[in-house]
Amino acid sequence: MRLNQAQNEAVSYTTGPCLVLAGAGSGKTRVITSKIVNLLKNHQIPPNRICALTFTNKAAGEMRQRVSQEIDREKAARIWISTFHSLGLELIRIEHRALGLPHNFTIFDENDTTRVLREILRNQFPELISDSSEKEALDKAKNLISLWKSKLISPEEVKTNTPYVELYRSYAAYLKACHTVDFEDLIYLSTKLLTSNPELKAKWQNCFQYVLVDEYQDTNETQYQLLKVLVGERQRFTVVGDDDQSIYSWRGARPENLKTLTEDFPNLKVIKLEQNYRSSGRILHCANILIANNPHLYQKTLFSEHPAGEKITILECANEEEEALRVAAEIKGQQFTEKCEWSNFAVLYRSNFQSRNIEKALHEARIPCFVTGGTSFFDLQEIKDIMAYCRLISNLKDNAAFLRIINVPRRGIGEQTLEAISNVAAKGNISNFEACMDQALGQYLHPTQLRAVNDFVSLMTKLRQMLLNHKDAYLAQVLPDLIGYERYLKVGTDSKNAAVEFKMRNVRSFLNWILDLIAGKNGEASLTFAQAVEKLGLKEIRDRKSDEDKEDAVQLMTLHSSKGLEFPYVFLIGTEENILPHKNSLVGDNINQGLQEERRLAYVGVTRAQKKLCISWCKERLSRQDKIKTQISRFITELPQEDLIYVSAKEKKQKTKEERIQDLTEAFMAVKGLSSS
C-alpha cells in the first residue's frame, strides 16, 4: 500500500517537532515504520541514534518486525525500539551508580508492591486501616504513591499533609534498603535523574538524534517529561496519537498532553490522518457522529473509500442470558454463511463480569472462544509465593525469589534487616542468601533480628537438603506444610475462609504439576525438582506469548483490551446506562470528563468493526440476585438513527438448558437451509 498525501507529509517532515493526529484505522503504524526507514536511508541517521517508544512489548515487537522487512535485520536490531518502561530500565541499568543502586538491583512487580505496602500498613500505620477496610487503605496508598510518582514528586516533596506521605516515605526506604525498584520507578527514577543531573541529561540528549512516540495520547506526566528531556533543544521528534482514543485516565494517561505539547513547542507541526482503511462507510459515519459529542482541541473527520456497508444492528434483549444466546446464534449463523474463521468475530464489553454468560453460551453452542485479559494462573499471589520458594530452593542465589519470600510467612524481618543483608551482599559480591550466613551480618543486627534471619536460613537449608538427598517428590508434597503457608493465609481471617481454601487448591494444583513432571507422566522424561521448576517458569513465558498468538476462536475482551485491534464482525454487548457509560463516570465532581472518556471507549468499540457491527442491550439485568430494570445507553441514542436497525426482545419466558441449545440449533439449521436453497 502506497502512502497517501497526509501519510507522506508525516513521514517526510523531520526538521522539527511533529504531532500526527492519527484517527482509528488510518495507518499510523505504517507512518511510524516508514518514517524510521526514511531517517535511516535518506537522512543517514545511525540506527542506534533513533529511539521509538510505545506502550506494549507486542507493539514494539510488531514495529521492529515491520522495519526489518524494509531494511537490513542487523540494522533494525540496533534501533532503540521499546516501551517507555523498557527504556527506563535500560537507562537505570546503565546509570545505576548515580541512583545508588547495585548493578544487580531487583524489580518488584505489582504483587510485590502490594505485599510490601500491606506489611507497612499493618506494622507501621494500623490507624489508616482502622478508618477503613484494609483493601481500601491499600488501594488508596497505591493510588497516591502512583500519582506522586507520575508527577515526579518524591516523598520529601509532597506538600499534602496526610499520613500516607509517611507511608510513601517508608515504602521508598524499604525499596532502597532492598536495592529494589518497582515498576513505576523505571520511568520515575530515570526521568528524575535526567532532570536533576545536567551531565547525564546532556549525555542522553546526545544519544538520540530523533525520537518517535506511538499512542501519544496514553502518556502520563512522567512519560511526557521523559520525552521532553530526551529531545532537548534539538526538538526533532514525532508523536503519533488520537485524542478520541484516550481511554486510560485511570492509570494516569493525560489527553491534556496534546495541549501541553502545543504550549511547550510553539513551532509544532500538526498533521491529520483522516482516511480510514478499516471500516465500512456507515460504521465510520456512526463513529464520527458519536465522538463529535466530545470537545476537541483539533477537529478531524474520518472518511473511507469503502462502500457504505450494512446498517448497524441494535439488539434489544430481555436479559443478559438471552443476550448471550442471541449473540451466540448470530455468530454461528454468520460464520456458516460467510464460511469464515471464528477469529473473525469479537465480542466486546465494558467490564470483565460480562464475559461469563457469553462464554457459557458459546461453549454450549460448540463455538471455540478465547477470553483475553484474564488473570494468568502464574500471576496469582499464592503461585508466585510458592514458585519463589521453589526457585530459591533450586538456586540459593536467586535474589528476586529471596526478596519475595524472606518474610512469607511473616518472620519480623523489616527494612533494617534487609538493608543490612543487601549491604553485606554488595560488599562481598555474594547473593542475599549467602549474606544471611556471613558472620559480618551479626555486626549490623540485634540478636532478635539475627535470630529471625537464622530461622529462615535453617528452614531453607532443611528444604535444600531434601534435594541433595534426592527427595524431590517428597519435597513437592510437603512444601506448603513445612513453610506454614496455609497458616500464613489464615492470619486475620475466618479459619473456614473460602478464599484461603481456593488459594490452597491452587497451590496443590501447582505442586501436583511439579510432581507429574518429576514422575515423567504423559510419556515425558522424568525431571528433577529443579528442572521441573525451570520448565514451569519457561511455560509461564510461553503461555504469555501464546496469549498473543491465539488459536482460531471468537475473541472475548474488554473495550480497553480491544484498542489497536480490528475484526470483520464485532458484537458490542451490555450497552446500558451504568455499564457503558459506567456508573462511576456518572457520579463525583468530574462527570463531564468521565462521560467523555466513556464515549471515547464506545468510539473505540465501534471503530474495531470492519464489515458488520451489532450492539446489544438488556431491558433487565440481574444484580446481586435482584432483577433491575435498565435503560439503553445514551451513546446508542447519539448515533445517527437512519444507520441503525432495531431488533426487539424475544419472549421473556424462562427456558431450560435443553431449550436454549435447541434454539441455537434451529437458528443454525435455518441459516443452513437458506444457504442451500
Side-chain angles (χ1 to χ4, degrees):
M1 183 182 77
R2 296 178 62 185
L3 296 175
N4 63 35
Q5 184 177 346
Q7 290 174 330
N8 190 58
E9 184 182 6
V11 169
S12 302
Y13 183 72
T14 59
T15 55
C18 180
L19 165 62
V20 179
L21 281 174
S26 62
K28 68 178 179 63
T29 306
R30 179 172 175 77
V31 165
I32 293 174
T33 54
S34 296
K35 190 154 195 171
I36 292 173
V37 173
N38 177 40
L39 292 168
L40 290 166
K41 289 184 175 180
N42 300 324
H43 297 271
Q44 284 73 51
I45 296 180
N48 63 334
R49 307 295 294 277
I50 297 173
C51 178
L53 299 172
T54 186
F55 283 85
T56 67
N57 290 320
K58 181 181 179 183
E62 287 178 355
M63 195 184 296
R64 188 179 298 280
Q65 184 179 19
R66 289 205 193 186
V67 172
S68 299
Q69 291 170 357
E70 300 194 44
I71 64 169
D72 179 73
R73 283 185 174 275
E74 188 271 333
K75 231 180 213 183
R78 290 166 53 208
I79 303 169
W80 289 68
I81 299 178
S82 73
T83 64
F84 273 95
H85 288 92
S86 295
L87 175 65
L89 174 58
E90 190 64 23
L91 197 152
I92 292 172
R93 278 180 175 155
I94 294 171
E95 311 295 354
H96 65 90
R97 289 187 182 86
L99 289 164
L101 289 168
H103 68 91
N104 61 340
F105 63 89
T106 305
I107 304 172
F108 271 3
D109 63 17
E110 188 176 348
N111 287 328
D112 295 323
T113 296
T114 300
R115 173 177 51 81
V116 171
L117 284 174
R118 184 184 291 113
E119 291 293 326
I120 294 173
L121 265 174
R122 288 174 177 174
N123 297 332
Q124 299 180 40
F125 302 95
E127 70 278 5
L128 294 177
I129 300 174
S130 64
D131 294 337
S132 60
S133 71
E134 182 177 271
K135 184 179 184 306
E136 288 175 353
L138 187 57
D139 287 344
K140 185 173 181 179
K142 289 164 68 177
N143 291 336
L144 281 173
I145 291 172
S146 177
L147 176 67
W148 288 323
K149 285 189 177 183
S150 73
K151 293 184 176 181
L152 292 177
I153 300 174
S154 68
E156 294 72 31
E157 295 169 328
V158 179
K159 297 290 191 290
T160 312
N161 185 19
T162 168
Y164 285 95
V165 177
E166 292 302 317
L167 189 148
Y168 181 21
R169 189 172 284 112
S170 294
Y171 175 62
Y174 184 96
L175 293 180
K176 186 175 182 180
C178 298
H179 296 156
T180 297
V181 299
D182 65 20
F183 192 63
E184 290 181 325
D185 282 336
L186 299 180
I187 300 175
Y188 165 72
L189 288 177
S190 53
T191 307
K192 196 87 170 168
L193 178 64
L194 296 190
T195 53
S196 63
N197 189 315
E199 185 179 338
L200 291 179
K201 179 181 178 181
K203 171 186 173 181
W204 283 88
Q205 285 179 349
N206 290 328
C207 180
F208 301 123
Q209 290 183 23
Y210 205 94
V211 179
L212 304 98
V213 178
D214 190 15
E215 303 288 4
Y216 174 74
Q217 76 282 347
D218 292 338
T219 54
N220 60 23
E221 178 65 21
T222 359
Q223 289 157 345
Y224 177 63
Q225 293 301 328
L226 181 58
L227 169 66
K228 272 184 67 178
V229 76
L230 288 177
V231 301
E233 294 182 3
R234 186 184 288 121
Q235 297 189 9
R236 295 183 68 193
F237 68 87
T238 294
V239 298
V240 183
D242 182 9
D243 53 340
D244 290 333
Q245 297 186 74
S246 180
I247 57 175
Y248 293 112
S249 66
W250 48 275
R251 68 183 190 198
R254 286 167 41 91
E256 310 94 273
N257 281 350
L258 285 166
K259 184 178 181 182
T260 308
L261 197 66
T262 63
E263 295 168 350
D264 290 344
F265 301 95
N267 59 332
L268 181 74
K269 185 177 183 66
V270 179
I271 300 169
K272 300 178 186 178
L273 304 185
E274 297 176 291
Q275 182 171 357
N276 175 283
Y277 294 94
R278 175 187 300 157
S279 304
S280 70
R282 184 167 272 119
I283 290 173
L284 206 56
H285 177 59
C286 287
N288 284 333
I289 297 296
L290 173 65
I291 204 62
N293 290 281
N294 273 2
H296 290 81
L297 181 63
Y298 298 103
Q299 295 296 327
K300 68 178 186 300
T301 302
L302 300 186
F303 68 93
S304 172
E305 294 182 354
H306 293 315
E310 297 183 40
K311 289 190 175 184
I312 294 173
T313 302
I314 307 298
L315 199 61
E316 176 194 274
C317 304
N319 52 48
E320 62 264 49
E321 192 176 65
E322 182 191 286
E323 178 183 51
L325 290 168
R326 293 178 71 180
V327 167
E330 288 280 341
I331 291 174
K332 196 154 196 174
Q334 193 84 44
Q335 190 270 345
F336 182 84
T337 304
E338 301 294 336
K339 301 290 190 295
C340 60
E341 296 182 341
W342 294 113
S343 57
N344 284 357
F345 297 87
V347 182
L348 311 181
Y349 36 82
R350 176 63 178 83
S351 302
N352 279 308
F353 78 87
Q354 294 172 263
S355 69
R356 298 167 194 159
N357 284 305
I358 185 67
E359 187 177 8
K360 182 171 179 286
L362 292 174
H363 178 72
E364 290 177 351
R366 299 183 183 278
I367 298 174
C369 64
F370 186 95
V371 181
T372 298
T375 302
S376 162
F377 179 71
F378 289 95
D379 282 336
L380 296 173
Q381 176 190 331
E382 60 272 22
I383 301 306
K384 291 177 84 73
D385 286 345
I386 298 300
M387 182 65 151
Y389 263 103
C390 293
R391 283 168 47 197
L392 191 59
I393 295 168
S394 304
N395 174 18
L396 293 175
K397 294 185 178 182
D398 190 328
N399 283 341
F402 173 91
L403 286 172
R404 180 169 187 93
I405 51 91
I406 181 66
N407 218 26
V408 176
R410 282 184 284 279
R411 300 179 176 87
I413 295 177
E415 65 183 63
Q416 288 183 342
T417 306
L418 283 170
E419 183 175 16
I421 293 171
S422 296
N423 288 336
V424 171
K427 286 179 181 177
N429 196 26
I430 55 179
S431 70
N432 286 340
F433 187 79
E434 289 171 317
C436 289
M437 298 183 290
D438 196 301
Q439 289 185 349
L441 187 63
Q443 302 172 22
Y444 305 101
L445 300 180
H446 297 301
T448 305
Q449 294 172 316
L450 191 59
R451 194 178 307 116
V453 172
N454 289 337
D455 287 345
F456 176 69
V457 170
S458 297
L459 172 64
M460 292 308 302
T461 303
K462 179 180 179 181
L463 298 174
R464 176 74 177 170
Q465 192 62 42
M466 290 185 183
L467 289 192
L468 299 177
N469 292 335
H470 307 294
K471 295 182 178 180
D472 298 41
Y474 180 69
L475 173 60
Q477 290 171 337
V478 301
L479 180 59
D481 299 328
L482 291 177
I483 65 176
Y485 194 70
E486 185 170 6
R487 186 169 62 252
Y488 159 70
L489 292 178
K490 286 180 177 179
V491 173
T493 65
D494 184 337
S495 60
K496 295 182 180 179
N497 188 291
V500 172
E501 293 178 9
F502 177 76
K503 289 182 178 183
M504 286 307 299
R505 280 200 301 272
N506 288 335
V507 168
R508 297 294 178 191
S509 295
F510 176 76
L511 292 172
N512 284 336
W513 205 342
I514 289 181
L515 282 168
D516 288 346
L517 291 171
I518 292 172
K521 290 192 175 180
N522 302 320
E524 295 185 9
S526 59
L527 304 177
T528 65
F529 182 91
Q531 288 170 336
V533 171
E534 182 182 14
K535 183 168 185 175
L536 289 182
L538 292 174
K539 175 174 174 52
E540 175 190 7
I541 296 170
R542 286 197 303 271
D543 282 355
R544 293 187 184 208
K545 186 177 186 305
S546 68
D547 283 354
E548 301 170 358
D549 305 324
K550 301 175 184 68
E551 60 187 26
D552 181 25
V554 176
Q555 309 296 301
L556 311 183
M557 67 185 73
T558 65
L559 288 164
H560 286 98
S561 298
S562 73
K563 192 160 84 70
L565 303 177
E566 57 186 39
F567 304 91
Y569 309 100
V570 170
F571 293 81
L572 177 52
I573 66 172
T575 49
E576 302 137 34
E577 292 290 296
N578 293 319
I579 292 183
L580 185 67
H582 193 275
K583 60 185 179 182
N584 291 347
S585 70
L586 304 175
V587 295
D589 299 329
N590 297 311
I591 292 179
N592 284 339
Q593 289 184 9
L595 273 174
Q596 288 166 21
E597 176 147 338
E598 291 294 299
R599 188 176 286 111
R600 293 195 291 267
L601 203 52
Y603 172 82
V604 165
V606 170
T607 53
R608 297 313 94 194
Q610 295 172 299
K611 294 182 179 180
K612 185 175 176 62
L613 174 64
C614 177
I615 302 175
S616 64
W617 72 285
C618 302
K619 297 171 70 176
E620 186 178 83
R621 189 171 287 277
L622 199 63
S623 176
R624 296 180 180 178
Q625 308 307 313
D626 295 324
K627 291 181 179 179
I628 58 169
K629 298 292 183 183
T630 60
Q631 287 183 307
I632 191 170
S633 169
R634 68 189 71 194
F635 300 146
I636 293 179
T637 66
E638 291 175 359
L639 298 174
Q641 299 302 297
E642 66 273 14
D643 287 325
L644 311 180
I645 295 178
Y646 285 84
V647 181
S648 61
K650 289 183 178 181
E651 228 178 0
K652 288 188 190 175
K653 83 177 183 82
Q654 296 282 40
K655 296 183 179 181
T656 64
K657 177 180 176 181
E658 289 72 25
E659 287 174 326
R660 294 198 304 272
I661 295 175
Q662 181 63 29
D663 282 350
L664 289 171
T665 305
E666 288 174 1
F668 174 65
M669 295 306 294
V671 171
K672 184 178 179 182
L674 284 172
S675 64
S676 60
S677 60

